[in-house]
Amino acid sequence: MYSLYRYVSTQKRTCPLLSVQPVRGLVDEKFQFVVTNLPPNQKVTLHSLHQSDDKDFWEAFGHYVSDEHGSVTGFKHESLGGTYEGTEPMGLLWSMRPIPGSRHGLRLRKRDIFRPMEVCISVYSGHLSQGFSQQTPLATSVTERWYVAPGVKRFNIREKEIRGTLFLGWIYIRFYVKEVIGGLVEYRSALLASHGFASMALEYLAPEDMRLEDTDASYFEKAYQILKNHPMVKKDHLAVLGLCLGSVIALSMVSYSKVIKPQCCVCISGSHLMPVDKSLSELFEEMKNHADKLYVNENNQVIHRNLILSLPCQSAKVDVGRIKCPLLLVNGDDDQTIPAVESAEDMAMMMEKAGNRHLLEILTYPDAGHLIEPPYSPHFRATNFKLQWTKERIVMLWGGQTKPHAYAQEDAWKKILAFLWQHLASNVK
């Protein structure tokens, strides 16, 4: 035993090494991984594991073969199989899925944005597709993914019945993006602030002490005025950004409101076919009356888009010809929730007729679905969802295919940021 110990201790160690850089970064920042000290042409599996704020475990993995130097490099070598394929180091994030045996219909969303998304990345011998918890990894590294950059400040908004959160960016830029989003979901606004914007996430689906009957145009106008009067916000450098129903609201407000006059507007997966001219309660009641138009596929997943197309309010669709500011539409052509592509085409024709088509920019991504999230977020084709107008829990089909959807999220985010900087940061003093 003693002789063996001495022999091992005097040999040069050749244990595999795994490096993931950066160790800490924003969620929209790429990382790179490198595995060294492997035998040449060795089959290995790169595996990522994350425990969500809801305590569910998510994983992704790729199959690699080391090169003649015994190395695997994410930006150079291809994954030959697994949850993603190709030269896709970020596939360890965007192809994540719940581990086997998890609850059905999960969606990964960050709730506590002041805690990082910790991802454990490991390398295993051989090409594995299951049973990772029963195997011993050759090497492991942990990387932190943040929605909040150092220096970003968070403030609760509880003023004039308005409920929301204000994030102030890491540099003194006096303009803001008002993110209209159901519930109080903060991660996108926090990420916008991490890029220097003052950004407000606005809660509107039955905020505390409020009824849906009271959530109408005046609610959003009051929120706009609060931000407009904030000392860190420049009054003539304002924008509105919405996702899904938030986009529907944004289009209505930008078209008709005498108070909300932003310098630009971004709508992700939205439509002009369901104008919010009264309260959200009345809009939901109208949708409830046409619930028979919901289609359920063979997998018991609800396709929502047909209901929107059947609404009689199409005859009273939002008059986007009234819009006076640059408008960016971001859509996936496999959106099964909102007829966003058809809506964009009709909006383009309406704006052409009205003479403001030059204000419209449309991004349409092939095989992308409804939930176009920040870069490298996992793709969710279908998840659990509660219908607001019936309170029924269903499985909603969002659409999209994993790899093209991941591309859409990365490309759209870059273009959204560029669009906001172009129209908000010009002539800032």
Side-chain angles (χ1 to χ4, degrees), residues 278-326:
K278 297 179 182 178
S279 69
L280 290 184
S281 177
E282 290 174 299
L283 174 63
F284 290 154
E285 189 64 31
E286 183 69 35
M287 298 176 76
K288 181 178 179 180
N289 292 336
H290 292 79
D292 61 314
K293 302 299 182 181
L294 292 174
Y295 173 73
V296 181
N297 67 13
E298 65 277 7
N299 296 316
N300 203 34
Q301 299 166 340
V302 174
I303 298 175
H304 187 272
R305 66 194 314 277
N306 292 341
L307 184 150
I308 306 300
L309 290 170
S310 70
L311 289 177
C313 60
Q314 282 196 63
S315 59
K317 54 193 173 186
V318 176
D319 184 3
V320 292
R322 299 167 57 98
I323 292 177
K324 300 291 195 296
C325 68

Side-chain angles (χ1 to χ4, degrees), residues 149-390:
V152 171
K153 306 296 184 182
R154 178 186 183 277
F155 302 91
N156 288 325
I157 302 295
R158 298 291 186 272
E159 184 178 343
K160 298 179 181 178
E161 301 178 339
I162 304 304
R163 300 292 181 265
T165 306
L166 174 64
F167 295 92
L168 296 180
W170 52 273
I171 53 179
Y172 191 77
I173 296 180
R174 300 198 313 174
F175 52 80
Y176 89 103
V177 176
K178 179 162 70 81
E179 182 177 13
V180 186
I181 188 165
L184 189 52
V185 182
E186 301 178 337
Y187 57 87
R188 196 187 310 260
S189 280
L191 190 57
L192 285 167
S194 297
H195 286 274
F197 297 92
S199 180
M200 176 183 176
L202 181 63
E203 183 177 7
Y204 62 83
L205 287 181
E208 183 181 354
D209 303 326
M210 275 197 67
R211 305 176 306 158
L212 277 176
E213 290 81 354
D214 300 323
T215 310
D216 54 16
S218 65
Y219 180 79
F220 302 101
E221 290 174 342
K222 289 175 184 177
Y224 188 88
Q225 289 176 318
I226 289 173
L227 267 294
K228 187 176 181 179
N229 295 328
H230 193 280
M232 290 289 286
V233 173
K234 193 170 179 64
K235 294 182 179 181
D236 57 351
H237 288 77
L238 309 178
V240 177
L241 183 152
L243 168 68
C244 187
L245 179 58
S247 285
V248 173
I249 295 169
L251 286 171
S252 292
M253 296 304 104
V254 173
S255 296
Y256 297 118
S257 175
K258 296 181 179 179
V259 175
I260 299 176
K261 301 295 182 183
Q263 274 56 58
C264 64
C265 178
V266 178
C267 293
I268 305 171
S269 303
S271 174
H272 66 319
L273 301 180
M274 39 197 291
V276 184
D277 53 355
K278 297 179 182 178
S279 69
L280 290 184
S281 177
E282 290 174 299
L283 174 63
F284 290 154
E285 189 64 31
E286 183 69 35
M287 298 176 76
K288 181 178 179 180
N289 292 336
H290 292 79
D292 61 314
K293 302 299 182 181
L294 292 174
Y295 173 73
V296 181
N297 67 13
E298 65 277 7
N299 296 316
N300 203 34
Q301 299 166 340
V302 174
I303 298 175
H304 187 272
R305 66 194 314 277
N306 292 341
L307 184 150
I308 306 300
L309 290 170
S310 70
L311 289 177
C313 60
Q314 282 196 63
S315 59
K317 54 193 173 186
V318 176
D319 184 3
V320 292
R322 299 167 57 98
I323 292 177
K324 300 291 195 296
C325 68
L327 171 64
L328 176 64
L329 303 180
V330 180
N331 303 319
D333 78 354
D334 191 38
D335 189 335
Q336 298 299 312
T337 309
I338 297 287
V341 174
E342 295 93 329
S343 296
E345 293 171 350
D346 188 56
M347 289 169 64
M349 289 189 291
M350 292 175 66
M351 294 178 75
E352 184 71 41
K353 185 177 180 180
N356 61 344
R357 175 63 178 84
H358 62 285
L359 296 174
L360 178 63
E361 181 179 351
I362 303 174
L363 301 177
T364 303
Y365 293 97
D367 295 324
H370 180 75
L371 296 175
I372 299 178
E373 298 279 37
Y376 319 122
S377 301
H379 166 243
F380 314 103
R381 183 165 175 81
T383 67
N384 296 330
F385 185 76
K386 183 171 74 172
L387 288 175
Q388 287 294 326
W389 54 91
T390 64

